[in-house]
Amino acid sequence: MATSETLQSGVCPRCGSTEVYRNTESRGERIQLVVSSTLRFLLATYLCASCGHFEEHIPPDDLHNEKLIKKIKESWHKVG
Ligand SMILES: [Zn+2]
């Protein structure tokens, strides 16, 4: 996915607003994507305060976590 098509660019791909915010700091308040009882991602959430469009992204560090990715590939359905 090209960065320019996501809120990560700081510009909303839906409405063009730059009122884009991201939750990062407080670990305890981050949304978690539970993969199994012991494996989970902490999601980075991006929100456009103008139109309400939001996106959740897996932090790059977790994308390189082989255990997590292996579990996803085993238990989730591939799209397409
Ligand atoms: Zn927007």
Side-chain angles (χ1 to χ4, degrees):
M1 198 186 312
T3 305
S4 61
E5 294 169 358
T6 84
L7 290 174
Q8 286 177 301
S9 67
V11 179
C12 178
R14 184 181 288 173
C15 73
S17 170
T18 54
E19 284 295 302
V20 175
Y21 297 87
R22 150 181 92 150
N23 73 337
T24 49
E25 308 309 329
S26 175
R27 210 175 159 79
E29 292 169 7
R30 298 261 294 277
I31 297 168
Q32 296 186 2
L33 174 63
V34 176
V35 177
S36 75
S37 57
T38 55
L39 295 171
R40 63 197 58 207
F41 293 111
L42 282 176
L43 299 176
T45 304
Y46 294 75
L47 169 75
C48 171
S50 182
C51 75
H53 178 60
F54 79 97
E55 298 170 0
E56 289 173 328
H57 295 264
I58 305 294
D61 283 356
D62 281 349
L63 267 187
H64 296 120
N65 182 328
E66 285 181 26
K67 254 174 137 179
L68 275 167
I69 298 303
K70 185 163 176 278
K71 185 69 183 175
I72 294 281
K73 290 183 176 177
E74 282 171 2
S75 54
W76 289 25
H77 295 283
K78 193 167 186 296
V79 177

Coordinates of all heavy atoms in Angstrom, one line a residue:
M1 N 0.8 -1.2 0.0 CA 0.0 0.0 0.0 C 0.9 1.2 0.0 O 1.8 1.4 0.8 CB -0.9 0.0 1.3 CG -2.1 0.9 1.1 SD -3.0 1.0 2.7 CE -3.2 -0.8 3.2
A2 N 0.6 2.1 -0.9 CA 1.4 3.4 -1.0 C 1.0 4.2 0.2 O -0.1 4.4 0.6 CB 1.1 4.1 -2.2
T3 N 2.1 4.9 0.8 CA 1.9 5.7 2.0 C 0.9 6.8 1.7 O 0.1 7.2 2.6 CB 3.2 6.3 2.5 OG1 4.1 5.2 2.7 CG2 3.0 7.0 3.8
S4 N 0.9 7.3 0.5 CA 0.0 8.5 0.2 C -1.5 8.1 0.2 O -2.3 9.0 0.2 CB 0.4 9.0 -1.2 OG 0.2 8.0 -2.2
E5 N -1.8 6.8 0.2 CA -3.2 6.4 0.2 C -3.6 6.0 1.6 O -4.7 5.5 1.8 CB -3.3 5.2 -0.7 CG -3.1 5.5 -2.2 CD -3.0 4.3 -3.1 OE1 -3.1 3.1 -2.5 OE2 -2.8 4.4 -4.3
T6 N -2.8 6.3 2.6 CA -3.2 6.0 4.0 C -3.1 7.2 4.8 O -2.5 8.2 4.4 CB -2.4 4.9 4.6 OG1 -1.2 5.5 5.1 CG2 -2.0 3.8 3.6
L7 N -3.7 7.2 6.0 CA -3.7 8.3 6.9 C -2.2 8.5 7.4 O -1.9 9.5 8.0 CB -4.6 8.0 8.1 CG -6.1 8.1 7.8 CD1 -6.9 7.7 9.0 CD2 -6.5 9.5 7.4
Q8 N -1.4 7.5 7.2 CA 0.0 7.6 7.7 C 0.7 8.7 7.0 O 1.7 9.2 7.5 CB 0.7 6.3 7.5 CG 0.3 5.2 8.5 CD 1.0 3.9 8.2 OE1 0.9 3.3 7.1 NE2 1.7 3.4 9.1
S9 N 0.2 9.2 5.9 CA 0.9 10.3 5.2 C 0.5 11.6 5.9 O 1.2 12.6 5.6 CB 0.4 10.3 3.7 OG -1.0 10.6 3.7
G10 N -0.5 11.6 6.8 CA -0.9 12.9 7.4 C -2.0 13.6 6.6 O -2.5 14.6 7.1
V11 N -2.4 13.0 5.5 CA -3.5 13.5 4.7 C -4.5 12.4 4.6 O -4.2 11.3 4.2 CB -3.0 14.0 3.3 CG1 -4.2 14.6 2.5 CG2 -1.9 15.0 3.5
C12 N -5.8 12.8 4.9 CA -6.8 11.8 4.8 C -7.1 11.4 3.3 O -7.4 12.3 2.5 CB -8.1 12.3 5.4 SG -9.5 11.2 5.3
P13 N -7.0 10.1 3.0 CA -7.3 9.7 1.6 C -8.7 9.9 1.1 O -9.1 9.8 0.0 CB -6.8 8.3 1.5 CG -7.0 7.8 2.9 CD -6.7 9.0 3.8
R14 N -9.6 10.0 2.1 CA -11.0 10.1 1.8 C -11.5 11.5 1.6 O -12.2 11.9 0.6 CB -11.9 9.5 2.9 CG -13.4 9.4 2.6 CD -14.2 8.8 3.7 NE -14.0 7.4 3.8 CZ -14.4 6.6 4.8 NH1 -15.1 7.2 5.8 NH2 -14.2 5.3 4.8
C15 N -11.1 12.4 2.5 CA -11.6 13.8 2.4 C -10.5 14.9 2.1 O -10.8 16.0 1.9 CB -12.4 14.2 3.7 SG -11.4 14.5 5.1
G16 N -9.3 14.5 2.2 CA -8.2 15.4 1.9 C -7.8 16.3 3.1 O -6.9 17.1 3.0
S17 N -8.4 16.1 4.2 CA -8.1 16.9 5.4 C -6.7 16.5 6.0 O -6.2 15.4 5.8 CB -9.1 16.7 6.5 OG -8.7 17.3 7.7
T18 N -6.1 17.5 6.6 CA -4.8 17.2 7.3 C -5.0 17.1 8.8 O -4.0 17.0 9.6 CB -3.7 18.2 7.0 OG1 -4.3 19.5 7.3 CG2 -3.3 18.2 5.5
E19 N -6.3 17.0 9.2 CA -6.6 16.8 10.6 C -6.5 15.4 11.0 O -7.4 14.7 11.3 CB -8.0 17.4 10.9 CG -8.1 18.9 11.0 CD -7.3 19.5 12.1 OE1 -7.6 19.1 13.3 OE2 -6.4 20.3 11.9
V20 N -5.3 14.9 10.9 CA -5.0 13.4 11.1 C -4.3 13.2 12.4 O -3.2 13.9 12.6 CB -4.2 12.8 9.9 CG1 -3.9 11.4 10.2 CG2 -5.1 13.0 8.6
Y21 N -4.7 12.3 13.2 CA -4.1 12.1 14.5 C -3.8 10.6 14.7 O -4.5 9.8 14.1 CB -5.1 12.6 15.7 CG -5.3 14.0 15.6 CD1 -6.3 14.6 14.8 CD2 -4.4 14.9 16.3 CE1 -6.5 15.9 14.7 CE2 -4.6 16.3 16.2 CZ -5.7 16.8 15.4 OH -5.8 18.1 15.3
R22 N -2.9 10.3 15.6 CA -2.4 9.0 15.7 C -2.2 8.7 17.2 O -1.7 9.6 17.9 CB -1.2 8.8 14.9 CG -0.2 7.8 15.5 CD 1.0 7.7 14.6 NE 2.0 8.6 15.0 CZ 3.4 8.4 14.8 NH1 3.7 7.3 14.1 NH2 4.2 9.2 15.2
N23 N -2.6 7.6 17.7 CA -2.3 7.2 19.1 C -1.0 6.5 19.2 O -0.8 5.5 18.4 CB -3.5 6.4 19.7 CG -3.5 5.0 19.2 OD1 -3.0 4.7 18.1 ND2 -4.0 4.1 19.9
T24 N -0.1 6.9 20.0 CA 1.1 6.2 20.0 C 1.7 5.9 21.4 O 2.1 4.8 21.7 CB 2.2 7.0 19.3 OG1 2.2 8.3 19.8 CG2 2.0 6.9 17.8
E25 N 1.6 6.9 22.3 CA 2.4 6.9 23.5 C 2.0 5.9 24.5 O 2.8 5.1 24.8 CB 2.4 8.3 24.1 CG 2.7 9.5 23.1 CD 4.0 9.2 22.3 OE1 4.9 8.5 22.9 OE2 4.1 9.6 21.2
S26 N 0.8 6.0 24.9 CA 0.4 5.1 26.1 C 0.2 3.7 25.7 O -0.9 3.4 25.1 CB -0.8 5.7 26.8 OG -1.2 4.9 27.8
R27 N 1.1 2.8 26.0 CA 1.0 1.4 25.6 C -0.3 0.8 26.2 O -1.0 0.0 25.5 CB 2.2 0.7 26.2 CG 2.6 -0.5 25.4 CD 3.9 -1.1 26.0 NE 4.1 -2.4 25.6 CZ 4.5 -2.8 24.4 NH1 4.9 -1.9 23.6 NH2 4.6 -4.1 24.1
G28 N -0.7 1.2 27.4 CA -1.8 0.5 28.0 C -3.1 0.9 27.4 O -4.1 0.2 27.5
E29 N -3.1 2.0 26.7 CA -4.4 2.5 26.0 C -4.4 2.1 24.6 O -5.4 2.4 23.9 CB -4.5 4.0 26.2 CG -4.7 4.4 27.6 CD -4.6 5.9 27.8 OE1 -4.5 6.6 26.9 OE2 -4.6 6.3 29.0
R30 N -3.4 1.5 24.1 CA -3.4 1.1 22.6 C -4.4 -0.1 22.4 O -4.6 -0.9 23.3 CB -2.0 0.6 22.2 CG -1.0 1.7 22.3 CD -0.7 2.4 21.0 NE -0.1 1.5 20.1 CZ 1.2 1.2 20.1 NH1 2.0 1.8 21.0 NH2 1.8 0.4 19.2
I31 N -5.0 -0.1 21.3 CA -5.9 -1.2 20.9 C -5.0 -2.4 20.6 O -4.0 -2.4 19.9 CB -6.8 -0.8 19.7 CG1 -7.7 0.3 20.1 CG2 -7.6 -2.0 19.3 CD1 -8.4 1.0 19.0
Q32 N -5.5 -3.6 21.1 CA -4.7 -4.8 20.8 C -5.5 -5.7 19.9 O -6.7 -5.8 20.0 CB -4.5 -5.6 22.1 CG -3.6 -4.8 23.1 CD -3.2 -5.6 24.3 OE1 -3.6 -6.8 24.4 NE2 -2.5 -5.1 25.2
L33 N -4.8 -6.3 18.9 CA -5.4 -7.3 18.1 C -4.9 -8.7 18.6 O -3.7 -9.0 18.5 CB -4.9 -7.1 16.6 CG -5.3 -8.2 15.6 CD1 -6.8 -8.2 15.5 CD2 -4.7 -7.9 14.3
V34 N -5.8 -9.4 19.2 CA -5.5 -10.7 19.8 C -5.4 -11.8 18.7 O -6.3 -12.0 18.0 CB -6.5 -11.0 20.9 CG1 -6.1 -12.4 21.5 CG2 -6.5 -10.0 22.0
V35 N -4.3 -12.4 18.7 CA -4.0 -13.5 17.7 C -4.2 -14.8 18.4 O -4.9 -15.7 17.8 CB -2.6 -13.4 17.1 CG1 -2.4 -14.5 16.1 CG2 -2.5 -12.0 16.3
S36 N -3.7 -15.0 19.6 CA -3.9 -16.2 20.4 C -3.8 -15.8 21.8 O -3.6 -14.6 22.1 CB -2.9 -17.3 20.0 OG -1.7 -16.9 20.5
S37 N -3.9 -16.7 22.7 CA -3.9 -16.4 24.1 C -2.5 -15.7 24.5 O -2.5 -15.0 25.5 CB -4.1 -17.6 25.0 OG -3.2 -18.6 24.7
T38 N -1.5 -16.0 23.8 CA -0.2 -15.5 24.1 C 0.4 -14.5 23.1 O 1.4 -13.8 23.4 CB 0.9 -16.6 24.3 OG1 0.9 -17.4 23.1 CG2 0.5 -17.5 25.5
L39 N -0.3 -14.4 21.9 CA 0.2 -13.5 20.9 C -0.7 -12.4 20.6 O -1.9 -12.7 20.4 CB 0.5 -14.4 19.6 CG 1.6 -15.4 19.7 CD1 1.6 -16.3 18.4 CD2 2.9 -14.8 19.9
R40 N -0.2 -11.2 20.5 CA -1.1 -10.1 20.1 C -0.3 -9.0 19.5 O 0.9 -8.8 19.8 CB -1.8 -9.6 21.4 CG -1.0 -9.0 22.5 CD -1.7 -9.0 23.7 NE -2.2 -10.3 24.1 CZ -3.3 -10.5 24.8 NH1 -4.0 -9.5 25.3 NH2 -3.7 -11.7 25.1
F41 N -0.9 -8.2 18.7 CA -0.3 -7.0 18.1 C -0.9 -5.8 18.9 O -2.0 -5.8 19.3 CB -0.8 -6.8 16.7 CG -0.3 -7.8 15.7 CD1 -1.1 -8.7 15.1 CD2 1.1 -7.8 15.4 CE1 -0.6 -9.6 14.2 CE2 1.6 -8.7 14.4 CZ 0.7 -9.6 13.8
L42 N 0.0 -4.8 19.1 CA -0.5 -3.5 19.6 C -0.7 -2.7 18.4 O 0.3 -2.5 17.6 CB 0.5 -2.9 20.5 CG 0.6 -3.4 22.0 CD1 1.7 -2.7 22.7 CD2 -0.7 -3.1 22.7
L43 N -1.9 -2.2 18.2 CA -2.1 -1.5 16.9 C -1.9 0.0 17.1 O -2.1 0.6 18.1 CB -3.6 -1.7 16.5 CG -4.0 -3.1 16.3 CD1 -5.5 -3.2 16.0 CD2 -3.3 -3.7 15.1
A44 N -1.4 0.6 16.0 CA -1.3 2.0 15.9 C -2.5 2.5 15.2 O -2.8 2.0 14.1 CB 0.0 2.5 15.1
T45 N -3.3 3.4 15.8 CA -4.6 3.8 15.2 C -4.4 5.2 14.7 O -3.9 6.1 15.4 CB -5.7 3.7 16.2 OG1 -5.8 2.4 16.7 CG2 -7.0 4.1 15.6
Y46 N -4.9 5.5 13.5 CA -4.9 6.8 12.8 C -6.3 7.2 12.6 O -7.1 6.4 12.1 CB -4.2 6.7 11.5 CG -2.7 6.4 11.6 CD1 -2.2 5.1 11.9 CD2 -1.7 7.4 11.4 CE1 -0.9 4.9 12.0 CE2 -0.4 7.2 11.5 CZ 0.0 5.9 11.8 OH 1.4 5.6 11.9
L47 N -6.6 8.5 12.9 CA -8.0 9.0 12.8 C -8.0 10.3 12.1 O -7.2 11.2 12.4 CB -8.6 9.1 14.2 CG -9.9 9.9 14.2 CD1 -11.0 9.0 13.7 CD2 -10.2 10.3 15.7
C48 N -8.9 10.4 11.1 CA -9.1 11.7 10.5 C -10.2 12.4 11.3 O -11.3 11.9 11.4 CB -9.6 11.6 9.1 SG -10.2 13.2 8.4
A49 N -9.9 13.5 12.0 CA -10.8 14.2 12.8 C -11.9 15.0 12.0 O -12.8 15.5 12.5 CB -10.1 15.2 13.8
S50 N -11.7 15.0 10.7 CA -12.6 15.8 9.9 C -13.8 14.9 9.4 O -14.9 15.3 9.5 CB -11.8 16.3 8.7 OG -12.7 17.1 7.9
C51 N -13.5 13.7 8.9 CA -14.5 12.8 8.4 C -14.7 11.6 9.2 O -15.7 10.8 8.9 CB -14.3 12.5 6.9 SG -13.0 11.3 6.6
G52 N -13.9 11.3 10.1 CA -14.0 10.1 10.9 C -13.4 8.8 10.4 O -13.5 7.8 11.0
H53 N -12.8 8.9 9.2 CA -12.1 7.8 8.6 C -11.0 7.4 9.6 O -10.2 8.2 10.1 CB -11.5 8.2 7.3 CG -10.7 7.1 6.6 ND1 -11.3 5.9 6.3 CD2 -9.5 7.1 6.2 CE1 -10.4 5.1 5.7 NE2 -9.2 5.8 5.6
F54 N -10.9 6.1 9.9 CA -9.7 5.7 10.7 C -9.1 4.4 10.1 O -9.7 3.6 9.4 CB -10.1 5.5 12.1 CG -10.8 4.3 12.5 CD1 -10.2 3.2 13.0 CD2 -12.2 4.2 12.3 CE1 -10.8 2.0 13.3 CE2 -12.9 3.1 12.6 CZ -12.2 2.0 13.1
E55 N -7.8 4.2 10.5 CA -7.1 3.0 10.0 C -6.3 2.5 11.2 O -5.9 3.2 12.1 CB -6.1 3.4 8.9 CG -6.7 4.0 7.7 CD -5.7 4.6 6.7 OE1 -4.5 4.5 7.1 OE2 -6.1 5.0 5.7
E56 N -6.1 1.2 11.2 CA -5.3 0.6 12.2 C -4.1 -0.1 11.5 O -4.3 -0.8 10.5 CB -6.1 -0.4 13.0 CG -7.0 0.3 13.9 CD -8.0 -0.6 14.7 OE1 -8.3 -1.7 14.1 OE2 -8.4 -0.3 15.8
H57 N -2.9 0.1 12.0 CA -1.8 -0.5 11.4 C -1.0 -1.3 12.4 O -0.9 -0.9 13.5 CB -0.9 0.5 10.8 CG -1.5 1.3 9.6 ND1 -1.3 1.0 8.3 CD2 -2.4 2.3 9.6 CE1 -2.0 1.8 7.6 NE2 -2.7 2.6 8.3
I58 N -0.4 -2.4 11.9 CA 0.5 -3.2 12.7 C 1.9 -2.5 12.7 O 2.3 -2.2 11.6 CB 0.7 -4.6 12.1 CG1 -0.7 -5.3 12.0 CG2 1.7 -5.4 13.0 CD1 -1.4 -5.6 13.3
P59 N 2.4 -2.2 13.8 CA 3.7 -1.6 13.8 C 4.8 -2.4 13.1 O 4.7 -3.7 13.2 CB 4.1 -1.5 15.3 CG 2.8 -1.6 16.0 CD 1.9 -2.4 15.2
P60 N 5.7 -1.8 12.4 CA 6.7 -2.6 11.6 C 7.5 -3.6 12.4 O 7.7 -4.7 11.9 CB 7.7 -1.5 11.1 CG 6.9 -0.2 11.1 CD 5.9 -0.4 12.2
D61 N 7.7 -3.3 13.7 CA 8.5 -4.3 14.5 C 7.7 -5.6 14.6 O 8.2 -6.7 14.5 CB 8.7 -3.8 15.9 CG 9.8 -2.7 15.9 OD1 10.4 -2.6 14.9 OD2 10.1 -2.2 17.0
D62 N 6.4 -5.5 14.8 CA 5.5 -6.7 14.9 C 5.4 -7.4 13.6 O 5.3 -8.7 13.6 CB 4.1 -6.3 15.4 CG 4.2 -6.1 16.9 OD1 5.2 -6.4 17.6 OD2 3.2 -5.6 17.4
L63 N 5.4 -6.7 12.5 CA 5.4 -7.4 11.2 C 6.6 -8.3 11.0 O 6.5 -9.2 10.2 CB 5.3 -6.3 10.1 CG 4.0 -5.9 9.6 CD1 4.1 -4.9 8.4 CD2 3.1 -7.1 9.2
H64 N 7.6 -8.0 11.7 CA 8.8 -8.8 11.5 C 8.9 -9.8 12.6 O 10.0 -10.5 12.8 CB 10.1 -7.9 11.5 CG 10.1 -7.0 10.3 ND1 10.1 -5.6 10.4 CD2 10.1 -7.3 9.0 CE1 10.1 -5.1 9.1 NE2 10.1 -6.1 8.3
N65 N 7.9 -10.0 13.4 CA 7.8 -11.0 14.4 C 7.3 -12.3 13.8 O 6.2 -12.5 13.6 CB 6.9 -10.5 15.6 CG 6.8 -11.5 16.7 OD1 7.0 -12.7 16.5 ND2 6.6 -11.0 17.9
E66 N 8.3 -13.2 13.6 CA 7.9 -14.4 12.8 C 6.9 -15.2 13.5 O 6.0 -15.9 12.8 CB 9.2 -15.2 12.6 CG 10.1 -14.6 11.6 CD 11.3 -15.5 11.3 OE1 11.3 -16.7 11.6 OE2 12.4 -14.9 10.9
K67 N 6.9 -15.3 14.8 CA 5.9 -16.1 15.6 C 4.5 -15.6 15.3 O 3.6 -16.3 15.0 CB 6.2 -15.9 17.1 CG 6.8 -17.2 17.7 CD 7.1 -16.8 19.2 CE 6.7 -17.9 20.1 NZ 7.1 -17.6 21.5
L68 N 4.4 -14.2 15.3 CA 3.1 -13.6 15.1 C 2.6 -13.9 13.7 O 1.4 -14.3 13.4 CB 3.1 -12.1 15.4 CG 2.9 -11.7 16.8 CD1 3.3 -10.2 17.0 CD2 1.5 -11.9 17.2
I69 N 3.4 -13.6 12.7 CA 3.1 -13.8 11.3 C 2.7 -15.2 11.0 O 1.8 -15.5 10.3 CB 4.2 -13.2 10.4 CG1 4.4 -11.7 10.7 CG2 3.8 -13.4 8.9 CD1 3.2 -10.9 10.5
K70 N 3.5 -16.1 11.6 CA 3.3 -17.6 11.3 C 1.9 -17.9 11.9 O 1.1 -18.6 11.2 CB 4.3 -18.4 12.1 CG 4.3 -19.9 11.8 CD 5.6 -20.5 12.2 CE 5.6 -22.0 12.1 NZ 4.9 -22.7 13.3
K71 N 1.6 -17.4 13.0 CA 0.2 -17.7 13.6 C -0.9 -17.2 12.8 O -1.9 -17.8 12.6 CB 0.2 -17.1 15.0 CG -1.1 -17.5 15.8 CD -1.1 -19.0 16.2 CE -2.4 -19.3 16.9 NZ -2.5 -20.8 17.1
I72 N -0.7 -16.0 12.3 CA -1.7 -15.4 11.4 C -1.9 -16.3 10.2 O -3.0 -16.6 9.8 CB -1.3 -14.0 10.9 CG1 -1.2 -13.0 12.1 CG2 -2.2 -13.4 9.8 CD1 -2.5 -12.4 12.5
K73 N -0.8 -16.7 9.5 CA -0.9 -17.4 8.3 C -1.6 -18.8 8.6 O -2.2 -19.4 7.7 CB 0.5 -17.6 7.7 CG 1.0 -16.3 7.1 CD 2.3 -16.4 6.4 CE 2.7 -15.1 5.8 NZ 4.1 -15.2 5.2
E74 N -1.4 -19.3 9.8 CA -2.0 -20.6 10.1 C -3.5 -20.5 10.4 O -4.2 -21.4 10.0 CB -1.3 -21.2 11.3 CG 0.1 -21.8 11.1 CD 0.8 -22.2 12.4 OE1 0.2 -22.0 13.5 OE2 1.9 -22.6 12.3
S75 N -3.9 -19.4 11.0 CA -5.2 -19.4 11.5 C -6.2 -18.5 10.8 O -7.4 -18.5 11.0 CB -5.2 -19.1 13.0 OG -4.5 -17.9 13.3
W76 N -5.7 -17.6 10.0 CA -6.5 -16.7 9.3 C -6.7 -17.1 7.8 O -5.9 -17.9 7.3 CB -6.0 -15.2 9.3 CG -6.0 -14.6 10.6 CD1 -6.0 -15.2 11.9 CD2 -6.0 -13.2 10.9 NE1 -6.0 -14.3 12.9 CE2 -6.0 -13.0 12.3 CE3 -5.9 -12.0 10.1 CZ2 -6.0 -11.7 12.9 CZ3 -5.9 -10.8 10.7 CH2 -5.9 -10.7 12.1
H77 N -7.7 -16.6 7.2 CA -8.0 -16.9 5.8 C -7.3 -15.9 4.9 O -7.5 -14.7 5.1 CB -9.5 -16.9 5.5 CG -10.2 -18.0 6.3 ND1 -10.2 -19.3 5.8 CD2 -11.0 -18.0 7.4 CE1 -10.9 -20.1 6.7 NE2 -11.4 -19.3 7.7
K78 N -6.6 -16.4 3.9 CA -6.0 -15.5 3.0 C -7.1 -14.9 2.1 O -8.0 -15.6 1.6 CB -4.9 -16.2 2.2 CG -4.0 -15.3 1.4 CD -2.8 -16.1 0.8 CE -1.8 -15.2 0.1 NZ -2.4 -14.5 -1.0
V79 N -6.9 -13.6 1.8 CA -7.9 -12.9 1.0 C -7.5 -13.0 -0.5 O -6.3 -12.7 -0.8 CB -8.1 -11.5 1.4 CG1 -9.1 -10.7 0.5 CG2 -8.5 -11.4 2.9
G80 N -8.4 -13.3 -1.4 CA -8.1 -13.3 -2.8 C -7.6 -14.6 -3.3 O -7.6 -15.6 -2.6
Ligands
ZN1 ZN -11.1 12.5 6.3

